[in-house]
């Protein structure tokens, strides 16, 4: 079970939002590249970056910081990035910077043809991010709920060739009230590709619960507020996950 520290970028800083609200942001670091190095030193095996300004603007807004993070961690661990990625040129540029996986969210729902083209052009590098509440997909920084069913849409994207799915329960993100295990497992069971959980990871009990369903296809979990506010010790949590997954040294 891969625990993936999140570095959410707003105005060049590392922040966390509550339930996607740009006006409810807590700044945790003014040096995101140093934060990336910190999580690498704590044993992270992948990083999750979000260009929050980009997600709302529909185009990259923190590219210089993202380049700095890639420069800091180099080829040591994969870095996945989402937020404001709406065209193939942007994907190519980010991959050239050293990003391993590009996450397409709102654009995948609004413009499935773009996702299809991206999977064809950059096979193995495209992750789809599905944000949902009560089984329905949300778009535009979670501000709009669509009528799309999560599982139906995920199956379509799987057929396009996405590498994996990041599933976020937007009712729980940044709230530290536990991962929606049931919904995440239900999605993973319906797909052949891996699912990464996101939203609500708060403590070691959540890590235990996730590891218990790893065999269903839930391969990792993104963690943000918990590791920044100290309710979860990242190094201890990854060690615990490795132990439960039988990967500990």
């Amino acid at each position: 079970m891969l625990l993936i520290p999140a570095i959410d970028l707003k105005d060049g800083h590392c922040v966390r939002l509550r339930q996607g609200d740009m006006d409810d942001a807590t700044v945790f670091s003014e040096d995101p590249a140093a934060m990336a190095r910190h999580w690498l030193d704590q044993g992270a095996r992948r990083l999750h970056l979000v260009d929050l300004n980009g997600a709302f603007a529909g185009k990259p807004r923190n590219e210089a910081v993202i380049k700095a993070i890639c420069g800091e961690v180099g080829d040591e661990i994969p870095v996945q990035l989402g937020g404001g990625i709406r065209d193939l040129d942007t994907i190519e540029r980010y991959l050239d910077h050293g990003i391993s996986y590009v996450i397409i969210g709102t654009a995948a729902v609004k413009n499935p043809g773009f996702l299809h083209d991206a999977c064809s052009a950059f096979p193995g590098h495209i992750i789809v991010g599905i944000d949902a509440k009560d089984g329905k997909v949300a778009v535009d920084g979670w501000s709009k709920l669509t009528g799309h069913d999560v599982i139906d849409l995920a199956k379509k994207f799987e057929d396009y060739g996405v590498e994996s799915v990041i599933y976020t329960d937007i009712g729980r993100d940044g709230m530290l009230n536990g991962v929606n295990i049931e919904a995440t497992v239900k999605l993973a069971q319906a797909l052949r590709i891996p699912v990464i959980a996101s939203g609500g990871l708060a403590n070691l009990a959540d890590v235990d619960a996730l590891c218990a369903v790893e065999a269903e296809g839930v391969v990792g979990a993104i963690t943000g507020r918990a590791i920044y506010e100290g309710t979860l010790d990242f190094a201890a949590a990854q060690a615990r996950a490795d132990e439960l997954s039988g990967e500990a040294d």
Side-chain angles (χ1 to χ4, degrees):
M1 176 66 61
L2 203 59
L3 299 182
I4 308 170
I7 298 179
D8 289 0
L9 301 167
K10 179 175 185 261
D11 306 330
H13 300 151
C14 170
V15 307
R16 288 301 287 169
L17 307 184
R18 287 186 191 273
Q19 293 189 296
D21 184 353
M22 285 288 272
D23 295 324
D24 191 358
T26 305
V27 176
F28 286 110
S29 173
E30 295 186 358
D31 187 347
M35 186 59 72
R37 169 56 58 184
H38 168 74
W39 295 128
L40 184 64
D41 291 344
Q42 291 290 305
R45 298 199 287 269
R46 187 186 289 201
L47 292 177
H48 176 79
L49 309 186
V50 181
D51 180 351
L52 293 170
N53 303 102
F56 283 83
K59 52 189 171 184
R61 283 287 188 253
N62 286 280
E63 196 166 344
V65 177
I66 290 160
K67 278 182 77 173
I69 290 170
C70 290
E72 181 63 40
V73 301
D75 298 327
E76 295 179 67
I77 57 172
V79 179
Q80 59 192 40
L81 166 72
I85 297 165
R86 303 282 191 271
D87 58 70
L88 297 180
D89 287 345
T90 300
I91 296 174
E92 185 170 26
R93 205 165 63 245
Y94 277 139
L95 294 176
D96 286 345
H97 292 338
I99 294 294
S100 303
Y101 303 103
V102 167
I103 303 158
I104 301 174
T106 292
V109 181
K110 290 187 163 184
N111 185 4
F114 164 56
L115 179 68
H116 193 279
D117 290 345
C119 289
S120 298
F122 308 104
H125 292 285
I126 306 299
I127 294 175
V128 73
I130 297 181
D131 304 330
K133 189 173 185 180
D134 302 325
K136 297 298 180 186
V137 176
V139 294
D140 292 333
W142 307 349
S143 60
K144 297 176 189 166
L145 272 182
T146 71
H148 292 293
D149 177 79
V150 168
I151 289 176
D152 289 345
L153 199 61
K155 282 183 167 180
K156 183 167 102 170
F157 294 159
E158 177 179 60
D159 290 341
Y160 288 177
V162 299
E163 193 272 338
S164 54
V165 174
I166 295 172
Y167 176 68
T168 305
D169 183 319
I170 63 176
R172 301 191 183 214
D173 189 76
M175 302 304 288
L176 300 180
N177 56 4
V179 177
N180 189 335
I181 297 284
E182 183 183 359
T184 306
V185 168
K186 189 176 172 187
L187 176 61
Q189 289 173 333
L191 300 175
R192 299 180 305 277
I193 56 175
V195 172
I196 297 169
S198 175
L201 187 73
N203 52 43
L204 283 176
D206 292 328
V207 175
D208 291 353
L210 282 163
C211 288
V213 298
E214 189 172 11
E216 303 293 346
V218 182
V219 301
I222 295 163
T223 175
R225 185 170 288 274
I227 56 173
Y228 288 102
E229 294 192 345
T231 66
L232 187 70
D233 178 305
F234 179 80
Q238 185 62 71
R240 172 83 172 162
D242 289 346
E243 181 186 337
L244 292 172
S245 302
E247 296 175 13
D249 292 335

